Amino acid sequence: MKTTLTVNGRSHQVEHDARRTLLDTIRDDLGLPGTKKGCDHGQCGACTILLNGERVNSCLCLTAMHDGDDITTIEGIGSPDRLSALQKAFVEKDGYQCGYCTPGQIMSATAMLREVSEGAPSYVSGDLDGAALTDAEMAERMSGNLCRCSAYPLIREAILMASEAET
Amino acid sequence: MRPIDYRRASSFDDAAAGQIIAGGTNLLDLMKIEVMTPDTVVDITRLDGLSTIEAEDDGLRIGALVTNTMLANDARVRAGWPLLSRAILAGASAQIRNKATTGGNLLQRTRCPYFYDTSQACNKRSPGEGCAARGGAGRMLALFGTSDQCLAAHPSDMAVALAALQAEVEIRGAEGRRRRVPIHDFYRGPGDRPDIETVLDRGDLITAVVLPRPLEGARQTYRKVRDRASYAFALVSVAGSVTMDGETMSDVSLAYGSVAPHPWMDHDVVAMLEGERPSDALFQRAADRLVPDSAPHPDTDYKRTLLRRTFIATLRQLTGLGDATGTDIARTHG
Ligand SMILES: Cc1cc2nc3c(=O)[nH]c(=O)nc-3n(C[C@H](O)[C@H](O)[C@H](O)COP(=O)(O)OP(=O)(O)OC[C@H]3O[C@@H](n4cnc5c(N)ncnc54)[C@H](O)[C@@H]3O)c2cc1C
Ligand code: SF4
Ligand code: FES
Ligand code: FES
């Protein structure tokens, strides 16, 4: 079957089996290996992309269901000579060890910072009117991204740094 | 994963043409490991009229395709039914909640590990095959409402909140007729057919979930206990709503999660609390009534203690006897 996707601003038509996931389409058909496959079951967040602006696990998306949708991957938010604020902060703060979870962390944090600025609450928010970006809030809001190297404290420092750079 | 035919539904009638897929976060996961093996999946995500939250009488009608994120963030829900926002936010991760839908969340399957392992016997996966959990490891299993055939618990957080809020599920039958079923009657116990989990018939489509009018001033919370602080299924959860009428409790509503094949409720316990002054002695007596004398599986015996403590902590929190952190007050005007 055929599906048209806009990925990082460019339109692509892909031909694929009905079982194909967005993760495999992005990595194998479009040759964008930045998005990682950790578990393939929604449990680790390594495959996080922005789908029409919202963070999702691309391993749990059937490509066939996303005809016409807009996708952003880690390759779409910055380049080696023009890093996004989060990418820069991860480098600066050493927000990784092996780096495998990093693209997913950065895509997830990109959406998370916007969600916080829009006043979205989390389970640990004192009330449901939204919350400041405390350490506890960050840990909760980023819990869908596991880091096998347990670089969590530095990941949170990097996110905090990027959020301060933006405001 | 087995080969599938993909069909995109263009009308409600098309929904009957195969296994419905909405967010896909549960179905696709189970298809990959061949626990669910539909020949055809029918994508309902482009059907009109299922993706909005609308006022209905004094309540809300939530379309089946409304995502968990949209529902938890809705200003009216946060104000009037804060328990529902909290419960949804307690579940899964932000990424999954962005895709998960209201209908799909209700119908997510159990997390019993033997259900996931096709080399093990499981009556829920293949009726009549046996139940490997019975003689195996079972710390995620249920305390209440089990049968000889299946001991599994329902994992949804959202459904527990909807039970405490007395919501109804709106269903469209294959012949086009719509009916509404209280959440409490929507799920069926495992009996001798644990593979049949709800009252849905073949071809039925969930079109919405309907919330009754909010209870102004109700104190609400969703307390979830799990193996890690976030991104884990509940071992035990309690959804509670209590209104303080001066010194006494009124409009008490409680539902318990991950302890039964569906959100568990106990009207005798509510009757013991309704109209009474909150006290630790009363909560202890109510817990005696709620918690069963034994567990159906030795590995879930700990859930008896956990449920007891979570129940008491929830009531203390809601009635001002304990730390109120995590309590939200329902208001009709956001
Ligand atoms: C890693 C992970 C962690 C999770 N943690 C939690 C947690 O802590 N708490 C929690 O509550 N949940 C948790 N979940 C489960 C998640 O909430 C569900 O996967 C999700 O809600 C399912 O919704 P969906 O729209 O993706 O359903 P789908 O996967 O699309 O469908 C699920 C089922 O519902 C049927 N269906 C869907 N929509 C309809 C409809 N309108 N009418 C009739 N049938 C329909 C489908 O046929 C299918 O059988 C977790 C999931 C993952 C992967
Ligand atoms: S408890 Fe239920 S789901 Fe688990 S193995 Fe037994 S039959 Fe299957
Ligand atoms: S690869 Fe998608 S969540 Fe792990
Ligand atoms: S840096 Fe190694 S998994 Fe996160």
Side-chain angles (χ1 to χ4, degrees), chain B residues 221-236:
Chain B
T221 198
Y222 185 73
R223 199 171 181 114
K224 176 172 177 178
V225 186
R226 41 190 154 171
D227 283 327
R228 58 184 185 199
S230 185
Y231 202 19
F233 286 94
L235 300 170
V236 161

Side-chain angles (χ1 to χ4, degrees), chain A residues 50 52 80:
Chain A
L50 303 185
N52 302 323

Side-chain angles (χ1 to χ4, degrees), chain B residues 266-329:
Chain B
D266 186 324
H267 298 291
D268 293 342
V269 169
V270 169
M272 286 177 75
L273 302 168
E274 192 70 46
E276 299 292 327
R277 278 166 178 264
S279 74
D280 283 325
L282 174 63
F283 296 163
Q284 295 283 354
R285 283 203 307 281
D288 291 341
R289 173 78 67 112
L290 171 67
V291 177
D293 294 332
S294 64
H297 189 289
D299 290 357
T300 45
D301 197 54
Y302 80 98
K303 284 198 181 185
R304 294 171 53 243
T305 316
L306 195 57
L307 177 62
R308 175 178 197 94
R309 291 182 180 160
T310 313
F311 168 79
I312 292 173
T314 305
L315 285 172
R316 295 187 94 244
Q317 173 188 337
L318 289 177
T319 56
L321 261 54
D323 179 1
T325 306
T327 306
D328 304 293
I329 314 285

Side-chain angles (χ1 to χ4, degrees), chain A residues 19 41-42 55 59 128 143, chain B residues 1 29 32 78 98 230-231:
Chain A
R19 290 169 286 186
H41 287 284
R55 49 176 165 162
C59 69
L128 294 170
S143 71
Chain B
M1 185 162 144
D29 190 18
K32 286 184 182 186
R78 285 196 240 176
N98 278 338
S230 185
Y231 202 19

Side-chain angles (χ1 to χ4, degrees), chain B residues 20-245:
Chain B
I20 290 172
I21 188 162
T25 59
N26 191 224
L27 181 60
L28 183 53
D29 190 18
L30 292 169
M31 281 165 51
K32 286 184 182 186
I33 53 173
E34 302 189 358
V35 167
M36 290 181 77
T37 52
D39 297 323
T40 304
V41 295
V42 184
D43 173 4
I44 61 166
T45 56
R46 311 219 177 190
L47 289 179
D48 286 335
L50 299 179
S51 305
T52 54
I53 305 176
E54 279 152 22
E56 185 189 275
D57 301 327
D58 291 329
L60 283 185
R61 183 175 176 281
I62 302 153
L65 290 176
V66 168
T67 64
N68 285 180
T69 296
M70 181 180 167
L71 184 53
N73 284 356
D74 186 90
R76 292 161 294 182
V77 175
R78 285 196 240 176
W81 301 265
L83 158 57
L84 180 57
S85 290
R86 282 272 173 207
I88 292 171
L89 293 170
S93 66
Q95 287 96 316
I96 290 169
R97 295 192 298 269
N98 278 338
K99 278 216 94 203
T101 64
T102 306
N105 191 314
L106 290 176
L107 296 179
Q108 62 175 295
R109 309 299 302 276
T110 185
R111 294 280 158 172
C112 172
Y114 301 101
F115 174 73
Y116 273 75
D117 183 348
T118 51
S119 72
Q120 302 285 323
C122 172
N123 287 324
K124 195 184 266 305
R125 193 170 5 85
S126 321
E129 195 177 76
C131 168
R134 194 161 273 285
R139 63 190 291 282
M140 298 302 283
L141 298 174
L143 276 182
F144 303 103
T146 59
S147 74
D148 286 347
Q149 305 290 312
C150 179
L151 310 174
H154 197 271
S156 169
D157 293 299
M158 184 192 83
V160 182
L162 290 176
L165 294 169
Q166 273 129 52
E168 292 186 331
V169 185
E170 183 190 276
I171 300 159
R172 180 191 186 273
E175 77 298 340
R177 206 171 55 86
R178 298 212 189 198
R179 63 187 197 277
R180 285 184 179 185
V181 181
I183 284 274
H184 197 55
D185 301 327
F186 176 70
Y187 294 103
R188 74 191 268 300
D192 55 7
R193 284 301 299 274
D195 56 318
I196 305 174
E197 297 173 348
T198 66
V199 299
L200 291 179
D201 289 325
R202 246 190 106 76
D204 278 354
L205 172 74
I206 298 178
T207 45
V209 166
V210 182
L211 289 172
R213 55 176 271 279
L215 288 171
E216 176 82 43
R219 301 170 60 80
Q220 300 190 341
T221 198
Y222 185 73
R223 199 171 181 114
K224 176 172 177 178
V225 186
R226 41 190 154 171
D227 283 327
R228 58 184 185 199
S230 185
Y231 202 19
F233 286 94
L235 300 170
V236 161
S237 70
V238 179
S241 179
V242 173
T243 304
M244 290 310 291
D245 188 3

